[in-house]
Amino acid sequence: MNWNLNNIYPSLQCKEFTEDTKLLENTIDNAFNWININFKNHDNIQSKILYFIDFKNKAEDLLSKLGPYSYLISAADTKNTLAMQTLNKMLTFEPKILSAEREFQNWLLAINNLPDIIHKSFKDYEYYLSELINNAKHMPTKNEVKLLGKMKSTGSMAWENLHRIALSNLKIEIELQGKKELLPLQALQGLSANSDLKIREKVFKAKLSSYNKISETAAWAYNSIKGEQITEAELKGYNSVFHMAMDSYKLKEVTVTTMFKVIKKYLPTIQKGINHKAKLLGYDDALPFYALFAPLGKNEKCYSFDETKSIILDNLKDFGCNMYSIAKKVFDENWIDSEPRENKRSGGFSVNLHSLKESRILFNFAGTSDNILQLSHEIGHVYHYACLNTEASINSNCSLAVMESAAIFTENFLQQKLLKISSQNEKLSMLNEILMRDIKLILDIYAYYNFESKVLEIRKNRILAYNELCELLKNAFAEAYGTSIDKETIDKYMWMTLPQLFYSNRPYYMVSYAFGLLFTKGLYASYIKDKSNFVKNFDYFLSISGKCSVEDAAVTLGIDLTSEEFWISSLKLVEEDINNFINENN
């Protein structure tokens, strides 16, 4: 399926795109002219606050069309020069909006009894306005905001784009069925879980031998991005990049550190599942890393896209009409680009177009059962966007941690439904996939969290060499996996091929995946206990997630995210996954 972008804009050069770009420029310019006149005094406080809120909503609505459209075009074709140029221009608008917000923030801070005014007259924007006041200590000066915006466009964002282009253009030579082929990286990802051990090993070795093509680019890009993030955190008065990241994700540091503290205690539990898989695959000792994602059971059916669509829609009906109708719209209105092709970026993602109340999904479909879950994951994001789209733009800026929760919940819901109707062989396959998900979203994220923290610690003082980055990753994965895998087979180059590590504006992005999995474990247990009330409460939770902290939103579901007890209860459900896998295959 190829997506339909025409109702966003016909093209990057069309009249509508040009006019909206000009309208956004004028909206920002007019706001600055108004600010220069009206923020000299504190007369008509309420009307001035209302003006700025209206400006920010309008500007973000326009940018929510222009920016994503440029990004979608560039992601579908990384060699589209015009798309990259246009995207770079779109990236210049957000710093300008932030600069105007800085002026608004300074003006707000001089108002007496501001909390009372906000509570009485701006209750719907209370979180946004209160956060502006509370975060004032982390806002740079007006000139620093402008400088930071310019630095990012030619610094970290440029490095991120370079890495993405290098990765999408990486070709790997491999011999399959006696024929040598030159394939893009994304085409080999599916073969990493092939049932044939020789093919898995061959793919693994082919990837290892090809990484040198992008090693220097990746190392310089990662060093530069992390160096800038350190500078930005210092400029904004944060004690660390981690502190800055958690603040931007609306998470308390104690929530995340508590989660990883409990994860560390449960590492042996998940490693136990890997040990059992090694036994099933015929290994007496530790499992080779390239055998980690080997399939089990007989669920090797290649699904058509239409079959995938039917499976997703048929099973999401049971969750509720809201999720089902949104998923149906995704397919019916062609919101998905699913065709793998050259120059298309790897992996998958979804973007929201708030002003249109629509979304789009980029996805590389290969017909595997895992693809069904991957697509349901992205549809979970779209479901969350739909809940947020009932709010104004200002109140739809949701924490990434909660975004991943909605996506993983949808994926988990579909997986549990499929597990109940599967045959014995299919159940073995699916239990193996559940184990693999727990590994990817707990063990791997634990490793990447420690890797990123170590890189940032060293990067404060110096550049890290390419080989050093590889060794740090190997050590991080060795700790996470313990003796369950052969340490000498760890793919220490994985940091180079993971786009999320290179997100210029989203340090510690990977944390949201582990949070999402464990949070949704608890959510799914609540769903089983009281299905009808849970769906209603979950929709409400998602809709307010842009106008309160993650912890406050979770309270509406009766959850305390800062307690070890909650994370222990979630990891006990993971332990059930592991035990089900072991008991099913004894």
Side-chain angles (χ1 to χ4, degrees):
M1 175 183 282
N2 291 325
W3 53 26
N4 176 18
L5 304 181
N6 290 336
N7 65 322
I8 309 174
Y9 295 106
S11 73
L12 288 167
Q13 296 173 303
C14 71
K15 177 183 176 183
E16 295 87 345
F17 189 91
T18 302
E19 287 179 347
D20 275 358
T21 302
K22 187 63 178 177
L23 178 59
L24 178 57
E25 290 172 342
N26 290 339
T27 299
I28 294 172
D29 289 343
N30 291 339
F32 274 108
N33 291 334
W34 182 90
I35 285 169
N36 290 334
I37 296 170
N38 288 275
F39 282 178
K40 291 179 179 178
N41 59 63
H42 288 83
D43 300 333
N44 304 313
I45 289 173
Q46 292 180 337
S47 63
K48 289 177 180 178
I49 292 176
L50 190 62
Y51 175 92
F52 187 84
I53 288 174
D54 186 55
F55 150 71
K56 193 162 191 296
N57 278 326
K58 286 179 179 177
E60 290 198 355
D61 274 346
L62 283 166
L63 196 54
S64 78
K65 283 180 64 181
L66 294 163
Y69 181 75
S70 307
Y71 183 67
L72 291 169
I73 297 293
S74 65
D77 180 6
T78 58
K79 288 191 175 181
N80 187 321
T81 304
L82 177 61
M84 292 302 300
Q85 291 171 342
T86 307
L87 178 60
N88 283 335
K89 181 175 181 178
M90 293 305 115
L91 292 172
T92 65
F93 288 119
E94 188 64 32
K96 293 177 182 178
I97 296 171
L98 289 174
S99 181
E101 190 172 63
R102 171 62 169 165
E103 298 287 342
F104 178 54
Q105 184 182 48
N106 285 335
W107 179 80
L108 283 176
L109 292 172
I111 298 174
N112 294 324
N113 301 320
L114 181 59
D116 290 338
I117 294 172
I118 292 172
H119 186 70
K120 290 178 182 177
S121 302
F122 300 97
K123 196 161 183 64
D124 202 41
Y125 294 100
E126 188 168 8
Y127 179 74
Y128 166 70
L129 294 170
S130 298
E131 283 296 285
L132 281 182
I133 300 167
N134 295 335
N135 292 333
K137 61 185 177 182
H138 295 305
M139 282 298 290
T141 66
K142 178 180 177 180
N143 288 334
E144 286 171 340
V145 168
K146 289 182 179 179
L147 180 61
L148 185 61
K150 291 180 179 180
M151 179 176 72
K152 281 181 172 293
S153 65
T154 57
S156 61
M157 290 177 179
W159 282 111
E160 181 185 345
N161 286 334
L162 177 62
H163 172 259
R164 185 169 66 246
I165 291 169
L167 199 59
S168 65
N169 292 332
L170 177 62
K171 299 291 178 60
I172 300 172
E173 185 177 279
I174 187 169
E175 184 178 321
L176 296 171
Q177 297 178 337
K179 180 183 176 183
K180 284 190 177 181
E181 298 184 62
L182 202 60
L183 299 175
L185 177 63
Q186 55 266 37
L188 288 183
Q189 300 293 28
L191 292 174
S192 296
N194 192 276
S195 59
D196 189 329
L197 170 63
K198 292 182 179 179
I199 291 179
R200 293 197 305 272
E201 188 173 3
K202 185 178 289 187
V203 167
F204 182 75
K205 290 179 178 178
K207 287 195 294 185
L208 294 185
S209 65
S210 70
Y211 288 146
N212 66 306
K213 297 177 183 177
I214 62 167
S215 59
E216 293 303 319
T217 299
W220 277 106
Y222 197 56
N223 270 290
S224 300
I225 291 167
K226 291 299 148 189
E228 186 184 287
Q229 288 171 352
I230 291 168
T231 301
E232 182 181 358
E234 292 173 350
L235 180 65
K236 291 182 175 180
Y238 288 103
N239 56 33
S240 67
V241 174
F242 179 69
H243 183 196
M244 179 176 71
M246 294 307 102
D247 205 19
S248 71
Y249 298 159
K250 302 180 183 179
L251 275 170
K252 294 179 181 177
E253 288 183 75
V254 64
T255 295
V256 177
T257 54
T258 300
M259 179 185 74
F260 280 114
K261 179 181 177 182
V262 176
I263 285 176
K264 186 173 184 178
K265 294 178 182 177
Y266 275 80
L267 291 179
T269 297
I270 305 175
Q271 293 165 6
K272 184 173 65 173
I274 301 173
N275 289 331
H276 188 71
K277 181 168 184 176
K279 179 182 174 182
L280 292 176
L281 291 172
Y283 292 96
D284 295 327
D285 298 315
L287 191 67
F289 199 75
Y290 55 80
L292 191 59
F293 292 96
L296 293 172
K298 296 181 179 179
N299 193 19
E300 297 178 9
K301 178 181 176 182
C302 186
Y303 296 88
S304 69
F305 191 80
D306 285 341
E307 287 175 316
T308 297
K309 171 184 172 181
S310 296
I311 290 170
I312 290 175
L313 291 180
D314 288 347
N315 285 284
L316 290 184
K317 280 181 183 177
D318 291 342
F319 184 77
C321 59
N322 191 24
M323 182 182 283
Y324 172 76
S325 63
I326 289 164
K328 191 171 186 300
K329 183 179 285 190
V330 167
F331 290 106
D332 290 350
E333 298 187 10
N334 292 353
W335 288 2
I336 306 174
D337 188 320
S338 61
E339 176 192 34
R341 58 183 177 272
E342 191 172 352
N343 300 325
K344 179 181 176 181
R345 63 156 283 179
S346 60
F349 66 83
S350 57
V351 298
N352 191 31
L353 300 127
H354 184 272
S355 60
L356 295 178
K357 301 189 184 304
E358 294 184 6
S359 303
R360 294 295 185 275
I361 294 171
L362 181 141
F363 178 65
N364 288 282
F365 182 70
T368 65
S369 58
D370 194 45
N371 280 167
I372 298 173
L373 298 177
Q374 290 169 359
L375 185 51
S376 68
H377 179 101
E378 298 304 334
I379 288 174
H381 281 304
V382 175
Y383 168 57
H384 192 176
Y385 296 148
C387 293
L388 286 171
N389 285 342
T390 61
E391 298 282 346
S393 279
I394 286 177
N395 289 335
S396 67
N397 295 318
C398 177
S399 166
L400 287 169
V402 178
M403 281 293 188
E404 288 306 325
S405 298
I408 295 170
F409 180 88
T410 309
E411 178 185 347
N412 184 61
F413 176 82
L414 188 68
Q415 191 162 47
Q416 293 300 323
K417 296 290 292 182
L418 294 176
L419 194 58
K420 290 178 181 178
I421 61 173
S422 61
S423 67
Q424 198 65 27
N425 281 328
E426 288 171 337
K427 183 175 287 189
L428 171 56
S429 175
M430 292 193 67
L431 288 170
N432 176 58
E433 288 173 0
I434 291 173
L435 172 65
M436 294 304 98
R437 184 195 60 194
D438 291 345
I439 289 170
K440 286 190 289 187
L441 298 185
I442 300 177
L443 294 192
D444 284 15
I445 303 309
Y446 177 82
Y448 283 123
Y449 165 73
N450 288 326
F451 168 74
E452 189 166 1
S453 297
K454 190 65 177 177
V455 168
L456 285 164
E457 179 186 334
I458 297 171
R459 186 63 185 86
K460 287 180 182 179
N461 301 311
R462 60 177 175 81
I463 294 282
L464 288 90
Y466 160 70
N467 289 334
E468 188 177 10
L469 288 165
C470 293
E471 198 61 27
L472 285 175
L473 188 80
K474 181 179 178 180
N475 292 339
F477 269 76
E479 180 193 350
Y481 281 82
T483 59
S484 67
I485 60 167
D486 179 356
K487 292 181 176 58
E488 295 309 310
T489 65
I490 292 174
D491 182 357
K492 61 184 181 181
Y493 308 100
M494 287 184 295
W495 64 271
M496 289 194 299
T497 62
L498 195 67
Q500 291 91 336
L501 283 178
F502 290 79
Y503 286 170
S504 55
N505 288 320
R506 297 174 181 176
Y508 287 99
Y509 181 87
M510 302 295 288
V511 166
S512 60
Y513 291 116
F515 178 95
L517 173 67
L518 295 177
F519 184 45
T520 52
K521 283 289 182 184
L523 293 180
Y524 190 75
S526 298
Y527 167 74
I528 294 301
K529 289 179 184 176
D530 188 357
K531 294 183 180 181
S532 59
N533 281 327
F534 176 83
V535 172
K536 179 181 65 176
N537 293 337
F538 192 46
D539 282 359
Y540 176 72
F541 162 78
L542 294 176
S543 70
I544 67 166
S545 58
K547 56 181 184 181
C548 63
S549 70
V550 178
E551 288 81 7
D552 287 344
V555 167
T556 67
L557 296 171
I559 294 170
D560 178 7
L561 292 175
T562 64
S563 70
E564 282 193 33
E565 288 76 15
F566 172 76
W567 299 109
I568 289 171
S569 67
S570 294
L571 278 152
K572 281 183 177 178
L573 291 176
V574 172
E575 187 172 19
E576 284 185 23
D577 289 345
I578 305 301
N579 290 335
N580 287 339
F581 172 72
I582 293 172
N583 294 334
E584 188 70 28
N585 305 290
N586 266 332

